[in-house]
Amino acid sequence: MLRFFNFTKLCLLHSKASTFPPFISISNNIGVRSQMGSYSTSSSSKLLFRQLFDKESSTYTYLLADSSHPDKPALLIDPVDKTLDRDLTIIQELGLKLVYAMNTHVHADHVTGTGLIKSEVPDVKSVISKASGAKADIYVEQGHKVWFGDLFLEVRATPGHTLGCITYVTGDASDQPQPRMAFTGDAVLIRGCGRTDFQGGSSEQLYKSVHSQIFTLPDDTLIYPAHDYKGFTVSTVGEERRYNPRLTKDEETFKSIMANLNLPYPKMIDIAVPANLVCGIQSKAT
Amino acid sequence: MLRFFNFTKLCLLHSKASTFPPFISISNNIGVRSQMGSYSTSSSSKLLFRQLFDKESSTYTYLLADSSHPDKPALLIDPVDKTLDRDLTIIQELGLKLVYAMNTHVHADHVTGTGLIKSEVPDVKSVISKASGAKADIYVEQGHKVWFGDLFLEVRATPGHTLGCITYVTGDASDQPQPRMAFTGDAVLIRGCGRTDFQGGSSEQLYKSVHSQIFTLPDDTLIYPAHDYKGFTVSTVGEERRYNPRLTKDEETFKSIMANLNLPYPKMIDIAVPANLVCGIQSKAT
């Protein structure tokens, strides 16, 4: 009961727009927040951040929390079903309160951990884009903000790998982590990008998404992708703008590269996509 | 020639003790440095840091550089032979000058990349502990400092997994990265530790090393191990002091745990150890 109370309080604290879930905001006016309480103006140290890896699918799961908030509210980006115990254990050990289990898109290569997390920690809300076509507790769109404590993630629509891909970017404000961090899903991989030949993928759309929504971020923005297959853990916008072997090309060359990848049919897609389309609520009778 | 000149200059700049290689210092008096030139008093943003993973051996290689120094001097900790191209490419792309290829110990599960690096970039110096019994260009011991630009790593002797294990810790000074970072090799793994049943290993020694040299660091010190098998990328001293399932036990229990692990003979040991004992110079006619 205490957990529920804390969660409700947390949500209401961050209410910005009544037409949206109370803890999601579409306001771009960061200044409003400073009127709501006493916030530090320098909070990069507030962010507790962990990058977690699933070796089987080469998926990165990200744990973010506001460690200076009394509730230590936390979220997971792209959790994997098979690493659920590891992730919930570290959350417990660090004394965090998991609030959101978020996905950047409907994955085709692993089953999201969101549903299992919700069955273990019922207060957790699943988050995905409206355009994904997947079920979830909360749908987000371009410009929404997802608050956890005094920190927030901004939602950027980055379709192209799938129709519903989004990128979560840490806030553009002095009390948010510096440099900014972009959780790009499969839109931008380190020196690569996600394939565009299924799930409503479009190389033309991906090119436009990356160049308008990700490569326009400051050069020092850290890029944390959903996968890496070569052992890289992080890149930056500046690096990918200079060295990404696909996305540095002009649009026509990029489309040609993507049309000729000749990749095999994803071995997990027939299991993963149906499961992930009901992400977050497959374990509930709804 | 220019490269050699720059390297020499860099080494001499950091000379502290004539009985040691010019770029290694045993001085603990950080204040001496401030008389040598104009250094920033707040340089946590100076550190360029990359964690790199070798999926086959689950080894982490660490790239550190002083990005604000004109030479952008860089070092690699625990490079792997099979990921050499990846590591040298990223170093080149980031505009860094690789100065040191360092090992925490003589590894038994992979061949170090040090020798290959030296053959590709002859100016690079290999670094390992004197107690390791391995060949290298530079031997370090407890209390030595390894400078790269205006940043340095402090050497702590942490034997137990092997006789020659060392931990590299970022400097304890206001112009060094905060929180501190400890590259623990196999002495402390995340929620684990290295085995102690070969290469001069000793559970008693490991227990003493960790408790005297690592767990005495501030709780927020980041622990970056040489390996992880569960997808963790980082921990902290505080976390391991509280949750490490082996090292939180008393010494006798720890010794008993380590004596009863019943681990298989390492599959790479007969290849890796002989190669790594000549780390850094197996490709040179010495």
Side-chain angles (χ1 to χ4, degrees), chain B residues 5-26:
Chain B
F5 171 74
N6 284 343
F7 177 70
T8 307
K9 183 179 153 214
L10 195 71
C11 298
L12 293 174
L13 182 69
H14 297 139
S15 176
K16 295 287 189 314
S18 59
T19 54
F20 290 88
F23 29 93
I24 305 294
S25 159
I26 58 163

Side-chain angles (χ1 to χ4, degrees), chain A residues 50-53 55-56 58 86 90 92-94 191 230-236 239 242-243, chain B residues 50-53 55-56 58 86 90 93-94 191 230-236 239 242-243:
Chain A
R50 291 294 164 91
Q51 184 171 22
L52 302 153
F53 187 60
K55 214 168 170 178
E56 189 178 326
S58 294
R86 176 197 65 188
I90 188 86
Q92 183 184 38
E93 289 177 348
L94 294 171
R191 309 294 191 267
K230 292 180 181 170
F232 292 112
T233 55
V234 66
S235 183
T236 64
E239 263 179 76
R242 288 183 70 182
Y243 296 117
Chain B
R50 290 294 163 91
Q51 185 171 21
L52 301 153
F53 188 60
K55 213 168 169 177
E56 190 177 326
S58 294
R86 176 198 66 188
I90 189 86
E93 288 176 349
L94 294 171
R191 309 295 192 267
K230 292 180 180 171
F232 292 113
T233 54
V234 66
S235 184
T236 64
E239 262 179 77
R242 289 183 70 181
Y243 297 116

Side-chain angles (χ1 to χ4, degrees), chain B residues 16-192:
Chain B
K16 295 287 189 314
S18 59
T19 54
F20 290 88
F23 29 93
I24 305 294
S25 159
I26 58 163
S27 167
N28 286 316
N29 184 357
I30 306 294
V32 171
R33 289 202 85 245
S34 65
Q35 299 163 17
M36 297 174 66
S38 57
Y39 299 100
S40 163
T41 52
S42 172
S43 72
S44 60
S45 62
K46 285 180 178 178
L47 179 69
L48 188 154
F49 175 65
R50 290 294 163 91
Q51 185 171 21
L52 301 153
F53 188 60
D54 171 45
K55 213 168 169 177
E56 190 177 326
S57 63
S58 294
T59 300
Y60 281 123
T61 296
Y62 299 98
L63 171 65
L64 289 84
D66 182 348
S67 60
S68 69
H69 190 281
D71 289 335
K72 295 193 176 183
L75 58 86
L76 282 171
I77 297 175
D78 290 333
V80 176
D81 62 344
K82 293 183 180 174
T83 56
L84 176 70
D85 288 345
R86 176 198 66 188
D87 299 349
L88 292 183
T89 299
I90 189 86
I91 285 167
Q92 184 184 38
E93 288 176 349
L94 294 171
L96 309 177
K97 177 175 168 57
L98 186 62
V99 179
Y100 303 124
M102 306 163 70
N103 279 288
T104 53
H105 64 291
V106 172
H107 303 277
D109 54 0
H110 69 273
V111 175
T112 177
T114 309
L116 289 171
I117 288 169
K118 284 173 57 66
S119 67
E120 296 273 334
V121 193
D123 284 351
V124 172
K125 300 294 179 192
S126 56
V127 181
I128 201 163
S129 77
K130 198 167 188 174
S132 70
K135 290 187 179 177
D137 297 316
I138 299 167
Y139 297 110
V140 288
E141 293 178 45
Q142 175 82 20
H144 284 190
K145 290 177 182 168
V146 181
W147 290 91
F148 54 111
D150 296 336
L151 303 175
F152 69 93
L153 293 171
E154 172 191 314
V155 176
R156 295 189 173 209
T158 50
H161 168 60
T162 74
L163 197 64
C165 284
I166 51 176
T167 291
Y168 298 106
V169 188
T170 56
D172 184 18
S174 60
D175 62 347
Q176 301 298 308
Q178 290 300 327
R180 298 179 77 180
M181 306 157 81
F183 302 92
T184 54
D186 289 20
V188 177
L189 304 178
I190 299 174
R191 309 295 192 267

